[in-house]
Amino acid sequence: MSEVDSLRQQLKDRGYLSHAIERWFALDPWSSRAFWLELTLVALKAATLIAAFAALPMTAIMLFRNAPLTAFETLALFLTYALAWLAIAFAFVVVVALILKLRPALPIDTPRALLAISLAASALLVLPVAVWWYGFDAAPTLSELLAGAALTAIFFVVATIVVSAALLSFSIYELQRVPAIHQKPRGVPMSVAATALIALLFLPAYAERERSAIEPMVVTTPNSRRVALIAVDGLTHEILQSRLDLALIRVESIPAASTTERWASLGTGVRTEAHGVRAIDAVRFRAGRHVLQGVSRAEVVLMRAAPLLGIARREPLPPTVRRRDYVWEIFARRGLPSAAVNWWATADEREGGLASISPAVVFTSAGADPLRIDSIAAQKFLGEIGRFPRFATVYLPALDVILNRLEIDRTTQLAQSLRALDGITALVSEARRRGYDVVVVGLPGDGQNGDGVIASNLPLRSDATAWDVAPTLLDLLGFPLSQEMPGRSLLRANEEPRIASYGARRSSAPAQGVNEEYYENLRSLGYIR
């Protein structure tokens, strides 16, 4: 047997996937067509293998986040990620190969050097998967974590084998023998390295989650007050004048990119970067039945490349993930019975002292009729305060939809606006009749002129901003304010020392997707364009 045949047999016995790569190392890279052809073929083979295993964990994670998907959508998802990884891995292999060719003084014959270089190159390939996975707003479930980590570890091992095969071929050409490292088994060190990599990538995030889950110490001042917050989108100071027998305070709106962000800031009292409710886009494959709602903030392939190539299209969605509690969730977590109806980024939940009714329930029941949305929300709100919680709130969007989102003639718009205002007036009167102190908050809708308004039967300071609503509600019910809140209480001039934070949100209900009927209703009402 010739030396070349013997060498190839050694490679085959040691499980390397490609034996063609050693040929092009002997060629001149700048003048030989054969060199570039061989490099292209070898890089395509290696990139195809890397792409297939790189697309697996990403596809699996997306299936966990967006189930159920059809077979077509699953295949399209896998192929889209695989094609993107094919381009990335091809460029990566070519760059590594050219670096090795241009630096012939780097023959590798020590176990540590070859293993270190192979693992470092593989880690660079795995890093985008980790960054992409961290980009999701909601933490993974246990089953997603196990599946994603296992497939990522397999991808890491396969990438290490492919890279070390390329390095081996270079070493063979320079040394004219099989280097010492390849005389030893490779499974154990690669498995150890994969385990260490997964631990380094994912354990810190879960340690941070555990730290953030610790409840802060809160000292409250007990009282017997009952408070109702009625939030009206599209309601301005100018509109509310002469409509309610309440003291009115003119306020500036909260700056935000979307309605959901603005009201989440008002209800939590903290800025968007803290509560995390933001305008988001989903993606739908061409001819696909489902909207992929669980998409990473670091998603480039589906959100940019696929729409650019016409494979998919982006569609806006209402957010479902929130990182801070609304003030009524703070109350309920600490033993104060609370109820909330129709607030953005909430789920249907009855746990402990909290009764929460999501907008999906209200919007789906009402169809595309904005006045019916307010009517159903008001009915559910009155049903909840019939149980006499200490705090109750409802979000009413009809006025914003009528004034800013639907294309209707002025006569119809005026008539429906008056009916919406009549409903608000009746709701305020009924809440007060049942013994609640009422705080009405109105903010102009997207593109609407006018100032926001706070109206209440309570003696509140007049130098107010919309940021002051959440701190005032906390103060009303004897809770300390948080340093994360830019606002202040409207009840008193001198505030007690604030706690640092009420901590990250903890909810037993996982983030829910938007069902198709709810989605179509939002589109009909002008929330999705």
Side-chain angles (χ1 to χ4, degrees), residues 509-526:
Q512 300 292 321
V514 178
N515 64 54
E516 292 293 326
E517 185 178 0
Y518 178 34
Y519 183 83
E520 291 304 322
N521 285 341
L522 292 174
R523 184 189 296 277
S524 299
L525 293 166

Side-chain angles (χ1 to χ4, degrees), residues 1-11 22 176:
M1 182 182 293
S2 66
E3 292 184 4
V4 173
D5 291 337
S6 176
L7 187 59
R8 287 178 175 170
Q9 186 60 44
Q10 291 181 58
L11 291 172
E22 74 271 9
Q176 299 298 314

Side-chain angles (χ1 to χ4, degrees), residues 78-224:
F78 175 80
L79 291 178
T80 301
Y81 282 129
L83 287 174
W85 270 105
L86 181 67
I88 295 170
F90 178 82
F92 182 81
V93 172
V94 169
V95 169
V96 170
L98 291 177
I99 291 174
L100 293 175
K101 179 62 182 176
L102 296 176
R103 298 295 300 273
L106 294 175
I108 299 167
D109 195 30
T110 62
R112 291 181 180 178
L114 181 59
L115 189 61
I117 293 175
S118 299
L119 294 178
S122 302
L124 285 176
L125 288 170
V126 173
L127 183 61
V129 177
V131 172
W132 172 85
W133 202 356
Y134 273 130
F136 286 97
D137 288 315
T141 61
L142 179 60
S143 54
E144 177 192 332
L145 178 67
L146 293 176
L151 290 172
T152 304
I154 293 171
F155 167 45
F156 175 81
V157 171
V158 170
T160 303
I161 293 173
V162 173
V163 172
S164 62
L167 296 176
L168 169 62
S169 61
F170 176 71
S171 300
I172 289 170
Y173 173 72
E174 293 294 330
L175 302 176
Q176 299 298 314
R177 59 184 172 81
V178 178
I181 177 60
H182 300 285
Q183 307 287 345
K184 302 178 181 180
R186 296 159 293 142
V188 173
M190 284 192 296
S191 299
V192 172
T195 303
L197 176 69
I198 297 302
L200 288 173
L201 289 176
F202 301 112
L203 287 184
Y206 274 80
E208 181 64 29
R209 283 185 65 202
E210 290 300 319
R211 286 196 298 271
S212 65
I214 298 175
E215 289 283 351
M217 292 294 294
V218 176
V219 178
T220 63
T221 304
N223 61 47
S224 58

